[in-house]
Amino acid sequence: MSAEPVAQEQVTHEQVRSSPAAGGARVRVCGVRHHGPGSARAVLAALESLQPDVVLLEGPADADPLVALAGAADMEPPVALLAHVTGEPRTSAFWPFAVFSPEWQALRWAVLHGVPVRFCDLPAAAVLAMRDDGSGTGEPEGAESGGAEPGPGREDGEPPRGDGEEHGDDGPRDGAAPGTAELLRADPLAALAAAAGYDDPERWWDDVVESRLDAPAPFDVITDAMAAVREHAPALPAAEEERETRREAHMRQVLRAVLKEGAQRVAVVCGAWHAPALSGKLPPAAADARTLRGLPRRRVSLTWVPWTHSRLAAASGYGAGVDSPGWYHHLFTSPDEPVTRWLIAVAGVLRAEDLPVSTASVIEAVRLADALAVMRGRPLAGLAEVTEATRAVLCEGDESALHLVTRRLVVGEALGRVPAETPAVPLDSDLRATAKALRLKLDPLERTLELDLRKDTDLARSRLLHRLALLGVDWGRAAASLTRSTGTFRETWQLVWRPELAVDVIEASVWGTTVEAAATARAVERAGEATLPQLTALVERCLLAGLPQALPPVLRALDVRAAADADVEHLMTALPPLVRAHRYSDVRRTGSGDLAQVADALLVRVCAALPAAVVSLDDDAARDLRRAVDAVHEAVGLWEDPRGSRLWSATLAGLVAVEPGRQGPPGLLAGRIVRLLRDSGDLPAAEAARRLGFTLSRGTPAPAAAGWVEGFLGSGGGTVLVHDEDLLALLDAWVCSLPEREFTDVLPLLRRTFGGFAAPERRALGDALRRGSGARRGEGRSAGVDEERAAPALRTAAMLLGVPA
């Protein structure tokens, strides 16, 4: 087959094929490429020519009640049909449509012209049921699996690459040179392209169909070519072959029903692979009826949901995806001067990023793209040509700028809209109404949202996003700084709306009809199965989300779990979130009087259980408990409760009290506790230095002493040593006194300790050690200081401070 006869084939009204089974009724089968702008234009031309009585579309047959919504003024592609098993939203599938999808244009044409339109593929009820029982897994090529991370639209071995779908790297471009039989089944377009003398199936399809701006697609020739491909294609595995047979049997049954109802002119828009099965004389209906007998079904719900161009892209994993949805949208919506208009848009994107692009550069890029098309024998410059022109002229070889153009324009991130009357679960309606009231746009582009919780609108936005996060609808992601905050007036969110979140909303609808009610019910349900640390984190999330109705049952569960949990580390892990939640209540104007009582009881349990928990710990357990002690100490300081502070300080002091015959905590933990007591003022600095000196005496093994030093100097210990030269001298003397073998043993511990200091702290320590070395040599600490010259500065400082000179 050569490309020229195909490209020049003209299809007229008189060439419409007749179906003998229909008594002379004319059936026009339009085999298309899913999401192809050339196919979409050709389908519109064929519909205008035929003026059919009925239009049949490849799509789930049980979606017919949703057809009328396609004509709504506020229906804006890209959109998708969403089908999910009733009561099991995770078992779902999508059928996406873009403006440039042939099926969408046929659907809109039929609705706007008052022509009956029906979907003819297997019902979604059967598609999802077959996935469950394994009898032919996967979805039709127009479908995409549902779930949190939607998978590809086709499963292993899905044949209909010949539907005109975009090809991945498994085609001839990977250089694998598959056999002819395998290529016919895996990529029939590649086989047709090879027969026409093309080494790239995408370029062949573009030349034959997509770039034909002045003539309809050669549907009859494509059907004949696909018939030849199907005749020589190898068989599929049994389950997949059964599914394909059922699909085409169902399409023929719907076509027979339409013809039986008296339709005289029928237009069928389907993937090119299926065109031969629906053209010409139909086989006996009895055979198709037997094929469909016993078809499994599930109870499903269907609706329209917004979609995005990025989810139409093949890179997203969508089986019928295209590489360049933004480019295809441009080709369909800008049939006149598409190359010029495209490169003007490219210049706009680059200029928006403050990159210099002149009008003369755009003109040169247009000329280069046209020249490349002529050199390659193409009727019109395609994406490859305009991309090379963009790289060479507008981006000057800068791949990062070209990547920006690809992301913004070639793929694009357009988000569709569906009418308000579209069937939706009440939770989804409440979410959209609340987002609209709070001026939050469901945008597919990631953006940063800064919130000031002192403002009513921002506080309401924060609560909505936290409630959705509690429900598993991850529209917003809190900035990392929020999780470390001890209670501020600021929050930072990264917002991006992904189409598959529609499934998450449906799944969350089992908890309630409004976002607040659903989040409350979900929190109460989680409380029944959560561990103690999870419960305290849940309390914090309830306060962040503003769920006062959820707090009482969650707090009761927390109190019961804390009384029964004997693991002191669990108790210590549970306390900081409670204290943070109590602190947040001031910022968020949420009543939390019960939190103080629960936190107080929890602290009492921690102080009672901690002395027994610090005995006989190995190194790893000591490190874990040290982190827990740090967290509780920080929480007690944040709490600002005098009674709790005294109780905690007394407990820490008792842990490191020196008593004959009493085994204390390991050195790592003991050193940390002494440091915490010193910093809080509960232990004099001189006493802390005395204990350090006692630890560094010859009677203490070097590894134990190094562990004590690591605990004492961790988290800011460098600053302590810089400002307390007595401690530094004591530590320096101990290190210098170590025998070579012991020094080698403790060196890794000391490196880990001092390696954690900031670079300025290490420099300051080095200077202090040099000064200390000079003092030991008799130079004195004031060496190099001219006291007579320093006297005026000292008098001035004393006057400013109001102290005697």
Side-chain angles (χ1 to χ4, degrees):
M1 178 188 298
S2 65
E4 188 63 20
V6 175
Q8 295 179 353
E9 176 73 13
Q10 299 295 320
V11 181
T12 64
H13 178 72
E14 289 73 24
Q15 289 175 305
V16 176
R17 297 186 175 181
S18 297
S19 171
R26 289 174 295 186
V27 177
R28 181 68 169 126
V29 178
C30 303
V32 300
R33 177 191 198 188
H34 296 307
H35 315 306
S39 294
R41 278 191 299 269
V43 165
L44 286 178
L47 293 175
E48 289 291 345
S49 173
L50 179 62
Q51 292 295 312
D53 301 326
V54 178
V55 176
L56 299 183
L57 303 177
E58 182 180 326
D62 41 6
D64 287 348
L66 301 173
V67 162
L69 292 172
D74 50 353
M75 175 72 93
E76 181 180 327
V79 293
L81 283 169
L82 165 62
H84 64 89
V85 175
T86 304
E88 300 178 24
R90 285 289 163 185
T91 306
S92 60
F94 298 93
W95 283 261
F97 300 88
V99 170
F100 50 84
S101 300
E103 297 91 337
W104 176 258
Q105 289 301 322
L107 179 59
R108 287 278 294 185
W109 183 93
V111 172
L112 296 179
H113 285 76
V115 176
V117 58
R118 296 176 59 179
F119 290 108
C120 61
D121 206 343
L122 282 177
V127 171
L128 297 180
M130 286 193 297
R131 181 196 299 173
D132 285 349
D133 68 5
S135 58
T137 57
E139 292 78 37
E141 58 267 20
E144 178 169 341
S145 301
E149 293 293 335
R154 69 181 91 251
E155 299 287 338
D156 295 338
E158 173 69 13
R161 286 281 189 181
D163 294 9
E165 299 167 16
E166 196 76 11
H167 304 287
D169 291 336
D170 54 350
R173 281 183 266 178
D174 62 6
T180 303
E182 290 75 9
L183 186 61
L184 289 175
R185 173 60 80 178
D187 196 346
L189 280 186
L192 294 178
Y198 283 72
D199 60 355
D200 186 347
E202 294 304 305
R203 181 159 297 172
W204 174 80
W205 185 269
D206 282 349
D207 288 352
V208 173
V209 179
E210 302 300 347
S211 297
R212 293 164 62 93
L213 301 179
D214 56 351
F219 290 127
D220 293 340
V221 177
I222 290 175
T223 299
D224 291 340
M226 284 298 168
V229 170
R230 288 169 61 108
E231 183 180 349
H232 295 88
L236 285 170
E240 296 169 22
E241 191 70 50
E242 180 185 15
R243 179 180 53 125
E244 289 304 304
T245 302
R246 283 175 165 177
R247 291 184 61 200
E248 293 180 348
H250 193 276
M251 294 180 190
R252 288 191 293 265
Q253 288 289 65
V254 174
L255 177 57
R256 291 188 185 98
V258 167
L259 295 172
K260 187 176 181 180
E261 292 169 1
Q264 293 300 306
R265 297 183 303 278
V266 181
V268 182
V269 181
C270 64
W273 178 266
H274 303 295
L278 304 176
S279 300
K281 184 177 180 179
L282 299 179
D288 288 339
R290 285 194 299 272
T291 299
L292 297 173
R293 187 175 299 135
L295 193 66
R297 290 178 182 269
R298 298 287 303 273
R299 184 183 177 187
V300 300
S301 301
L302 292 101
T303 188
W304 289 105
V305 295
W307 206 248
T308 65
H309 275 173
S310 65
R311 297 300 299 163
L312 279 169
S316 71
Y318 170 42
V322 294
D323 289 337
S324 49
W327 166 254
Y328 277 176
H329 179 87
H330 172 78
L331 284 183
F332 185 77
T333 56
S334 304
D336 60 318
E337 300 293 338
V339 174
T340 303
R341 295 179 184 275
W342 176 264
L343 290 171
I344 290 173
V346 170
V349 168
L350 296 175
R351 286 169 180 169
E353 297 296 324
D354 295 328
L355 297 175
V357 179
S358 66
T359 303
S361 297
V362 175
I363 294 173
E364 289 303 316
V366 172
R367 290 174 177 171
L368 177 57
D370 290 340
L372 289 173
V374 171
M375 292 174 60
R376 294 168 180 175
R378 304 201 64 182
L380 182 71
L383 180 60
E385 287 72 33
V386 297
T387 299
E388 292 178 26
T390 298
R391 177 189 289 110
V393 180
L394 302 184
C395 297
E396 299 180 344
D398 186 349
E399 290 296 330
S400 61
L402 184 65
H403 176 72
L404 174 68
V405 172
T406 300
R407 181 165 51 87
R408 295 275 183 86
L409 285 182
V410 177
V411 175
E413 202 47 274
L415 177 68
R417 291 187 301 126
V418 298
E421 60 269 24
T422 303
V425 292
L427 180 63
D428 183 67
S429 301
D430 180 70
L431 167 59
R432 293 181 182 276
T434 305
K436 183 177 181 180
L438 296 176
R439 299 189 299 278
L440 288 175
K441 184 180 179 182
L442 277 62
D443 197 333
L445 294 175
E446 184 170 320
R447 64 189 185 95
T448 301
L449 181 66
E450 296 283 348
L451 299 180
D452 183 344
L453 302 181
R454 294 168 294 186
K455 300 177 180 178
D456 291 339
T457 299
D458 282 1
L459 180 59
R461 289 173 173 175
S462 172
R463 286 174 175 171
L464 174 64
L465 294 172
H466 279 293
R467 289 168 182 174
L468 292 175
L470 194 58
L471 290 170
V473 182
D474 297 323
W475 177 17
R477 178 174 53 83
S481 59
L482 178 65
T483 61
R484 296 193 300 267
S485 173
T486 57
T488 69
F489 292 105
R490 298 280 178 187
E491 275 187 4
T492 303
W493 292 83
Q494 298 292 332
L495 298 184
V496 57
W497 183 265
R498 294 171 286 110
E500 55 266 26
L501 292 178
V503 175
D504 296 331
V505 173
I506 294 172
E507 187 176 48
S509 65
V510 300
W511 304 106
T513 57
T514 67
V515 176
E516 181 178 3
T520 298
R522 181 64 175 130
V524 173
E525 187 271 343
R526 282 188 177 183
E529 56 190 27
T531 63
L532 183 60
Q534 290 171 341
L535 272 172
T536 52
L538 184 60
V539 170
E540 184 178 14
R541 297 183 70 180
C542 288
L543 282 175
L544 293 173
L547 300 175
Q549 301 299 320
L551 272 178
V554 174
L555 287 175
R556 285 195 297 270
L558 174 62
D559 195 36
V560 171
R561 198 64 51 84
D565 199 324
D567 190 327
V568 68
E569 197 168 337
H570 278 181
L571 297 173
M572 298 175 75
T573 305
L575 184 62
L578 272 182
V579 175
R580 286 198 302 269
H582 186 267
R583 178 84 172 214
Y584 282 137
S585 64
D586 298 331
V587 179
R588 297 174 176 275
R589 293 167 257 168
T590 304
S592 57
D594 294 337
L595 287 179
Q597 299 179 12
V598 176
D600 184 68
L602 205 57
L603 180 61
V604 171
R605 292 190 179 99
V606 167
C607 292
L610 193 56
V614 300
V615 179
S616 302
L617 296 177
D618 59 18
D619 290 343
D620 291 337
R623 293 184 191 281
D624 292 340
L625 196 57
R626 183 188 67 170
R627 284 191 287 268
V629 167
D630 282 345
V632 171
H633 188 78
E634 181 181 357
V636 170
L638 181 65
W639 193 0
E640 298 179 349
D641 175 44
R643 178 177 171 274
S645 297
R646 289 194 299 270
L647 176 62
W648 176 246
S649 297
T651 302
L652 292 183
L655 293 178
V656 293
V658 180
E659 298 179 8
R662 176 178 176 272
Q663 182 180 1
L668 181 69
L669 192 56
R672 186 59 184 165
I673 292 174
V674 169
R675 167 72 185 285
L676 293 177
L677 292 172
R678 177 190 183 277
D679 290 349
S680 63
D682 296 311
L683 189 68
E687 175 62 16
R690 189 187 70 80
R691 296 198 181 195
L692 175 60
F694 177 76
T695 302
L696 298 181
S697 65
R698 293 186 179 276
T700 305
W708 202 99
V709 170
E710 180 183 358
F712 184 82
L713 296 180
S715 301
T719 304
V720 173
L721 290 179
V722 168
H723 294 286
D724 193 333
E725 294 191 359
D726 291 333
L727 279 180
L728 180 59
L730 185 64
L731 187 62
D732 183 35
W734 172 70
V735 173
C736 293
S737 68
L738 288 174
E740 181 178 355
R741 177 175 297 179
E742 291 186 359
F743 178 79
T744 303
D745 291 340
V746 302
L747 181 59
L749 297 176
L750 295 176
R751 278 189 76 176
R752 182 168 59 197
T753 301
F754 284 86
F757 296 165
E761 291 177 339
R762 292 199 297 270
R763 284 196 297 269
L765 286 175
D767 293 340
L769 287 171
R770 280 193 294 272
R771 290 196 303 271
S773 298
R776 285 193 294 273
R777 291 195 303 268
E779 297 174 3
R781 291 188 179 179
S782 60
V785 177
D786 189 332
E787 297 183 4
E788 183 177 351
R789 294 179 61 187
L794 292 175
R795 286 195 297 271
T796 302
M799 181 182 66
L800 293 174
L801 296 174
V803 298

